[in-house]
Amino acid sequence: MPLPPELAALLATLAPAHLPLPPAAHPASGTRLLRGAVYSAPEGIRPLELDLWLPDEPQAPLPLIVYIHGGGWRTGTRTDMGPRFRHWRPSPFARLAQAGFAVASLDYRLTGEAIYPAQLDDVTAATAWLNSRADELGLDTGRTVTWGESAGAHLAALLALTTQVRGCIAWYGPTDLTTLPAQSRPGTYDTSDPTTREALLIGAPLATAPELARAASPVTHVTADAPPFLILHGTDDSLIPPAQGEQLAVALRQAGAHVDFRHVPGADHAWAGLSNVDVEECFTTSLSFARTLTTTPPALIPPEKR
């Protein structure tokens, strides 16, 4: 039964770009947090939200970090930079805001909700929402850096390679789904298994869907226009082989892009096996990279690529 026009107008869903922003909280000294801003409303599922961390009293439009969480595309939350950071007080996001960045930490559809490219569509929609509200929020989205860990690094790399950003920070992410099985430890990966994380991402076992696997791989999206990358990958990663990070670094170098690839000695996935000091070093190295990229003009980008 059609609704009366007045009721239909009342119940109509507002576009996320026009929804009111959440009230600001102040979870750490010198920071504001807009928790749970709706940036997208895909039909039939939950609204997708982001948390926006900001310095308390910015003096100018802010450089932006778009952070994408890990969890094998199946789990994870936007509040989490990984298990080694859960005890940090202030949180890593608050520390980035205290360093002068706006940080948008994103939801995206998990594989129980949709298959690829929905995840890339979602994080791309988040950047569009941030652009549409940049003046209101005090953001300089022309100085955006993507950052992610594990599955989030995969999406951060894809986002950086398919949109205009200043750069990307990728921690131990998968970069080529077609080579991942052979690079994994012998006997640990079955390409015909429909329940692997990667099969659930593309909606089919890797052995039966090589074209889908290639399309979902950051290495296949590398061009001469790729922005600078910082790639950190543990030498002892038992989940995503370090050869994955190396492979993306090689592709970027061959395309003429700036890439800083660093092995992290003794680190397993999610920085397991590292001392607290070494985990802090991974964070501060990444922060320094983001800071260098968001200077004006960006210090790491050769003049011909600016």
Side-chain angles (χ1 to χ4, degrees):
M1 177 191 303
L3 296 174
E6 185 176 343
L7 181 58
L10 181 66
L11 296 178
T13 302
L14 280 177
H18 302 295
L19 288 171
L21 294 170
H26 298 270
S29 175
T31 69
R32 287 183 296 139
L33 170 60
L34 307 182
R35 189 189 302 277
V38 175
Y39 75 79
S40 181
E43 225 177 298
I45 71 152
R46 62 192 170 104
L48 300 175
E49 299 178 343
L50 60 80
D51 292 342
L52 187 65
W53 293 80
L54 301 158
D56 210 8
E57 296 182 2
Q59 303 303 308
L62 297 163
L64 174 65
I65 292 170
V66 172
Y67 185 80
I68 307 174
H69 70 79
W73 308 284
R74 297 183 301 180
T75 63
T77 74
R78 66 179 188 269
T79 62
D80 195 5
M81 194 175 264
R84 294 302 304 273
F85 297 92
R86 290 171 190 160
H87 70 285
W88 277 28
R89 299 294 182 272
S91 75
F93 302 118
R95 295 188 192 197
L96 293 172
Q98 289 169 339
F101 287 89
V103 185
S105 184
L106 314 181
D107 281 341
Y108 55 89
R109 279 174 285 181
L110 303 175
T111 51
E113 300 168 304
I115 61 172
Y116 185 83
Q119 295 73 23
L120 178 57
D121 292 342
D122 292 342
V123 298
T124 304
T127 62
W129 183 91
L130 290 159
N131 276 310
S132 74
R133 306 192 78 156
D135 290 344
E136 180 183 6
L137 294 166
L139 308 178
D140 180 357
T141 55
R143 293 189 290 153
T144 296
V145 175
T146 66
W147 183 342
E149 61 103 16
S150 194
H154 163 268
L155 294 173
L158 282 169
L159 183 60
L161 293 167
T162 56
T163 59
Q164 290 291 317
V165 298
R166 283 281 177 96
C168 177
I169 299 163
W171 287 356
Y172 47 84
T175 68
D176 188 342
L177 306 191
T178 69
T179 60
L180 175 62
Q183 292 168 351
S184 298
R185 296 178 181 180
T188 62
Y189 204 107
D190 180 0
T191 59
S192 65
D193 184 353
T195 66
T196 65
R197 292 176 297 276
E198 294 75 24
L200 293 173
L201 176 68
I202 64 174
L206 297 187
T208 65
E211 290 303 318
L212 292 175
R214 273 191 285 274
S217 297
V219 292
T220 65
H221 297 269
V222 171
T223 69
D225 295 324
F229 271 67
L230 172 66
I231 303 171
L232 303 184
H233 212 121
T235 58
D236 297 348
D237 197 315
S238 57
L239 192 59
I240 303 296
Q244 287 280 293
E246 294 165 4
Q247 192 174 342
L248 179 57
V250 168
L252 288 163
R253 289 192 190 105
Q254 289 176 344
H258 175 96
V259 58
D260 183 354
F261 173 75
R262 303 190 190 190
H263 284 113
V264 182
D268 200 338
H269 203 69
W271 303 144
L274 288 188
S275 69
N276 289 337
V277 170
D278 288 337
V279 172
E280 179 100 30
E281 178 65 21
C282 292
F283 179 83
T284 56
T285 296
S286 301
L287 171 56
S288 295
F289 186 81
R291 184 178 282 124
T292 301
L293 285 182
T294 54
T295 57
T296 304
L300 284 177
I301 303 178
E304 66 274 11
K305 286 185 171 288
R306 288 179 188 162

